[in-house]
Amino acid sequence: MKRFRGFVIKEFYHIFRDKRSLFILFGMPVAQILLFGFAITNEINNVDIAVLDHSKDATTEEIINSIAASEYFSIDQFIEREADIETVFKQGKVKAVLNIEKDFSQKLIKDGKAHVQIITDATDPNTANTIYNYVTAILQKYQQSQNKSVGLPYQIVAQTRMVYNPELKSVFMFVPGVMTIILMLVSAMMTSISITREKELGTMEILLVSPLKPFQVIVGKVVPYIFLSVINAIVIVVLSIFIFKMPVEGSLFLLGLESVLFIISALALGILISSIAQTQQTAMMISLMGLMLPVILLSGFIFPISSMPFILQLISNIVPAKWFIIIIKGIMLKGVGLQYIWRETLILLAMTVFFIGLSVKKYKIRLE
């Protein structure tokens, strides 16, 4: 046990001497969580739009002022002709044009209906759809304020209430996903590179003939990364709470246990990769391409799994990140306990045992 403890301490010293490893372990997670939290968002703010007002009456002025007063849009310019719309879009700054028809107030009073055409730049379809929804919501709010005194004999009003994220903050979606990506990549990639480095440099044979048993060598290489990955998880949660104001409605203790389980699963994958790869470069490429793409595409982090083809939905079930994201969202946003996430926890635990078993089998074959 004394030899094993000394080996683990030696691994810590080795990690802390390597500045590149320290940057990957601590610099990359902080940079990613800040980047995803601030830069990557589904929300829109201060989007530049142009207005083509054919009517130019008091009603259209009120509508334009309502749109300009919102935090979502900024009136960049007023144009005079429909022929200028294409020119405005080609300049690239304006993302939408409001085309208000002629005699707007008169038609609204006489016919009870007038039109505002919302022309959006659909080179980015998601942004265009969001702009359309926001403008439509502002127009409906204005219409409701004008029609308070008007009643209809029969009227069905749909009311929407958002639970767990009433302000629809996209950071609440990205933080669990980024935490999953960071823990998966840092744990798996650094472990696989660390063990593969020993093989590439020819020092693995020296370690295997040392008084330490082979499994102690592998475990000793892994233990420091468990500790460092837990620190990464704590840093991410702290940043989420104090910078992005993300709530943690559930148990922090349960969140910690689930995070440790996922970290061990990722480390087991790293050991499995190291048993296949012969060089550090190969281990890094397998970790990045074999883990990062499935985590982003098939975990439900960005794209809903229910919208995918059936075969991809089946494949997503073998991605540990999918189950961890469900767990972490449930604990942080919904405040659920183990009684609601026991199924996902068991699946994640079964995957961890499978990866560890497969890694042990691979290394036994190699050592024999």
Side-chain angles (χ1 to χ4, degrees), residues 29-30 33 175-176 178-179 182-183 229-253 255-256 259 324 328 331-332:
V30 173
I33 193 70
V175 166
V178 174
M179 183 174 177
I182 291 171
L183 293 181
S229 296
V230 169
I231 293 178
N232 267 328
I234 294 172
V235 170
I236 293 169
V237 172
V238 169
L239 288 175
S240 304
I241 294 173
F242 290 102
I243 294 182
F244 301 116
K245 309 301 180 185
M246 185 168 181
V248 181
E249 301 291 348
S251 167
L252 282 172
F253 179 73
L255 178 62
S259 298
F324 184 63
I328 196 172
I331 295 174
M332 295 184 77

Side-chain angles (χ1 to χ4, degrees), residues 31-89:
Q32 282 191 330
I33 193 70
L34 293 176
L35 179 64
F36 274 79
F38 285 118
I40 302 178
T41 175
N42 287 331
E43 302 162 11
I44 61 171
N45 289 289
N46 298 317
V47 174
D48 290 321
I49 63 174
V51 176
L52 174 57
D53 186 0
H54 292 285
S55 186
K56 295 181 181 179
D57 52 43
T59 303
T60 59
E61 185 177 351
E62 288 180 1
I63 292 174
I64 293 170
N65 289 337
S66 298
I67 293 173
S70 73
E71 60 181 336
Y72 310 116
F73 301 107
S74 175
I75 307 296
D76 181 73
Q77 57 182 295
F78 290 86
I79 57 180
E80 301 296 331
R81 302 175 302 163
E82 292 195 8
D84 295 332
I85 295 176
E86 187 175 355
T87 304
V88 167
F89 279 130

Side-chain angles (χ1 to χ4, degrees), residues 55-244:
S55 186
K56 295 181 181 179
D57 52 43
T59 303
T60 59
E61 185 177 351
E62 288 180 1
I63 292 174
I64 293 170
N65 289 337
S66 298
I67 293 173
S70 73
E71 60 181 336
Y72 310 116
F73 301 107
S74 175
I75 307 296
D76 181 73
Q77 57 182 295
F78 290 86
I79 57 180
E80 301 296 331
R81 302 175 302 163
E82 292 195 8
D84 295 332
I85 295 176
E86 187 175 355
T87 304
V88 167
F89 279 130
K90 284 183 177 180
Q91 291 173 351
K93 187 179 180 182
V94 167
K95 297 299 181 184
V97 174
L98 302 185
N99 188 1
I100 303 174
E101 69 175 343
K102 192 175 181 179
D103 300 326
F104 186 89
S105 294
Q106 296 178 17
K107 291 181 178 179
L108 196 61
I109 295 171
K110 182 180 179 181
D111 303 330
K113 182 170 63 174
H115 297 90
V116 176
Q117 186 181 28
I118 306 168
I119 307 170
T120 58
D121 179 357
T123 52
D124 185 344
N126 291 331
T127 301
N129 188 53
T130 304
I131 290 172
Y132 169 79
N133 291 333
Y134 278 36
V135 173
T136 302
I138 293 172
L139 292 176
Q140 289 177 347
K141 185 177 180 181
Y142 173 80
Q143 179 181 329
Q144 290 173 0
S145 68
Q146 298 299 310
N147 291 339
K148 285 182 179 179
S149 59
V150 178
L152 296 177
Y154 297 101
Q155 189 176 16
I156 299 175
V157 179
Q159 293 182 337
T160 303
R161 184 169 65 94
M162 302 292 179
V163 294
Y164 308 126
N165 185 10
E167 297 179 7
L168 299 179
K169 292 184 177 179
S170 58
V171 70
F172 287 10
M173 179 188 76
F174 285 121
V175 166
V178 174
M179 183 174 177
T180 304
I181 290 177
I182 291 171
L183 293 181
M184 174 63 78
L185 285 184
V186 169
S187 303
M189 184 172 65
M190 295 306 297
T191 304
S192 63
I193 290 174
S194 173
I195 299 176
T196 308
R197 183 193 298 121
E198 302 288 356
K199 294 196 297 183
E200 188 176 2
L201 297 176
T203 53
M204 180 61 83
E205 288 76 9
I206 299 173
L207 292 174
L208 293 176
V209 297
S210 67
L212 291 172
K213 295 180 180 180
F215 83 90
Q216 289 180 316
V217 173
I218 302 300
V219 173
K221 301 287 286 185
V222 168
V223 167
Y225 292 105
I226 295 178
F227 177 76
L228 296 173
S229 296
V230 169
I231 293 178
N232 267 328
I234 294 172
V235 170
I236 293 169
V237 172
V238 169
L239 288 175
S240 304
I241 294 173
F242 290 102
I243 294 182
F244 301 116

